[in-house]
Amino acid sequence: MLPPIHLWGISAPLEPLGGGHRNAVFRTSELARDLVFKSTRRTEAQLRWLAPVHAAAETAGFVTPRLIPDRTGRLNADGWTCEPFIEGRPFQPEDLPQIAERIDAFHAATANLPQRPEFCSSCELLTETTGGDVDLTALPADLMALCRCAWQALGSETGVIHGDLTAGNLIHTDQGPALIDWDEARVDHRAYDRLRTRPETATAAEKTAALAWEVAASWQIEPDHAQLVARILRARF
């Protein structure tokens, strides 16, 4: 299914973009300012929560793809979002430590922001069962117990995180590093971001907690991937 770009008053050729494991992604061509359209499971409230988060990321030195409302003001238009296409050179995994100080500044700037609507942090999921992409009741009982055991070992240093800091979500631009794909952003343990930017400081408990999150958040959306990660998680206990 192609995105309904007419809802933004756009008419342009579309081409699929790779890299979207959980969403369909298309970009326009032949426009003065090309756009990216993504399928989304996020509600209007969850998307509007991103505005101050993106502002904080920009203050910390990142370029962000601010969501563009459709002609009626919606950010989620029939299950699709729109954002500017960002030109640049892709990051490599070894480049991630270059953004460590910017991520630290972003964490500091978002310390007082509330949880994303209908999301839960790892800590909250010690007693809750659903939040965001996670539904612990869908997991086998023993695996749910392992995830909660892993999260219990984390400290209390929580705040807004990007949640998917990979080289594929970063672009070198003339204006600085662009950080894209904020779909998994939420209030959670900051170690999930620092695992990528400051891997030398990561503890065994933080790595295990991140594996548990990957299992829980992927269980229904990317089941094959979740099963593979679950085997690694089980081997740690």
Side-chain angles (χ1 to χ4, degrees):
M1 184 180 296
L2 293 175
I5 64 174
H6 65 280
L7 296 177
W8 282 266
I10 300 297
S11 177
L14 289 168
E15 59 185 65
L17 285 180
H21 299 296
R22 300 183 179 186
N23 309 90
V25 185
F26 292 85
R27 66 160 290 186
T28 62
S29 58
E30 302 179 11
L31 293 179
R33 180 195 189 196
D34 280 319
L35 304 170
V36 173
F37 292 88
K38 297 180 181 179
S39 63
T40 184
R41 302 178 306 282
R42 306 303 178 215
T43 66
E44 189 73 17
Q46 290 166 352
L47 293 173
R48 291 196 177 279
W49 175 87
L50 287 170
V53 173
H54 283 162
E58 289 162 4
T59 298
F62 290 104
V63 175
T64 65
R66 295 282 192 126
L67 295 176
I68 301 170
D70 75 353
R71 289 180 298 176
T72 66
R74 296 177 300 174
L75 297 181
N76 180 336
D78 293 356
W80 292 85
T81 61
C82 175
E83 62 191 55
F85 178 77
I86 297 177
E87 298 275 4
R89 178 170 52 87
F91 262 61
Q92 300 302 315
E94 58 270 22
D95 295 337
L96 287 171
Q98 297 176 13
I99 65 166
E101 291 185 1
R102 284 184 170 93
I103 288 296
D104 291 345
F106 165 71
H107 287 168
T110 55
N112 296 320
L113 291 182
Q115 178 61 278
R116 194 171 192 176
E118 299 178 55
F119 271 65
C120 280
S121 67
S122 305
C123 180
E124 291 167 325
L125 286 168
L126 296 177
T127 53
E128 301 292 331
T129 56
T130 59
D133 294 327
V134 176
D135 181 355
L136 292 180
T137 65
L139 274 64
D142 68 313
L143 194 54
M144 179 173 70
L146 288 183
C147 287
R148 283 178 161 169
C149 182
W151 297 331
Q152 188 135 27
L154 289 172
S156 58
E157 189 194 359
T158 61
V160 175
I161 63 170
H162 177 271
D164 192 19
L165 277 182
T166 64
N169 287 332
L170 284 148
I171 302 168
H172 291 286
T173 77
D174 292 341
Q175 294 76 42
L179 184 51
I180 65 174
D181 196 356
W182 292 79
D183 195 53
E184 297 180 50
R186 61 191 184 277
V187 171
D188 212 328
H189 203 282
R190 291 172 180 163
Y192 291 147
D193 280 352
R194 287 200 304 263
L195 282 169
R196 302 300 180 90
T197 60
R198 300 184 186 274
E200 71 283 355
T201 70
T203 66
E206 290 169 347
K207 293 176 183 178
T208 302
L211 286 174
W213 184 269
E214 188 72 11
V215 170
S218 304
W219 192 257
Q220 294 178 291
I221 303 171
E222 299 177 82
D224 292 341
H225 171 67
Q227 291 279 1
L228 289 172
V229 180
R231 286 201 285 272
I232 301 171
L233 178 64
R234 284 188 167 108
R236 286 178 173 256
F237 286 90

